[in-house]
Amino acid sequence: MGLDYIRSNTGKPWKKRWNGGLDRLKRPTLFDLSITETSHSVTVELAPGTRLNLGDTCIVERGSDEFAVTMGLHPVGRIRNPNSEISAAVIAGKGFIEARVTHVGLFGDTAEVNFR
């Protein structure tokens, strides 16, 4: 009786309605497994008196044993003991990369930047 009731009270047969559902399942969704560019975060020690806002763009440059972070011609901070990921990104970028500020520390002495 359940299947007869569904067929009599709906305009479309059960089979066609389910086929539309299968088509919807094949479309990409919020949880699609395709992976885009990888993004990495690193903590920057800010210079005294430096003010950064979320979304600001900085340049990370190669230094002697640490990386310098600048905005235009103004030094912003430094990255001590850089990991291999940021070192590889800077080498691939011919000595510098662009990074975006994603978080500023509570006391304003550190910030996190994302780079690709």
Side-chain angles (χ1 to χ4, degrees):
M1 173 167 164
L3 188 57
D4 294 333
Y5 175 77
I6 291 172
R7 286 187 178 160
S8 66
N9 288 329
T10 59
K12 294 181 180 179
W14 176 262
K15 192 178 231 178
K16 284 188 179 179
R17 178 177 282 181
W18 182 246
N19 282 341
L22 288 176
D23 291 339
R24 274 184 267 130
L25 287 175
K26 293 177 186 175
R27 285 190 230 145
T29 63
L30 176 65
F31 302 108
D32 191 19
L33 296 178
S34 63
I35 298 173
T36 59
E37 295 180 350
T38 57
S39 177
H40 304 284
S41 287
V42 67
T43 301
V44 176
E45 294 178 15
L46 297 177
T50 301
R51 291 218 166 289
L52 287 180
N53 297 317
L54 296 179
D56 285 348
T57 303
C58 304
I59 301 295
V60 178
E61 301 178 55
R62 182 188 302 185
S64 56
D65 60 340
E66 57 188 32
F67 289 156
V69 181
T70 60
M71 285 184 63
L73 298 174
H74 305 287
V76 173
R78 61 186 170 185
I79 301 170
R80 292 188 187 195
N81 302 326
N83 59 19
S84 61
E85 294 171 341
I86 191 167
S87 298
V90 170
I91 290 170
K94 308 276 194 274
F96 64 93
I97 56 171
E98 186 176 283
R100 186 169 305 274
V101 177
T102 58
H103 180 75
V104 179
L106 183 63
F107 300 112
D109 58 346
T110 61
E112 285 190 19
V113 294
N114 260 357
F115 64 94
R116 292 186 161 83

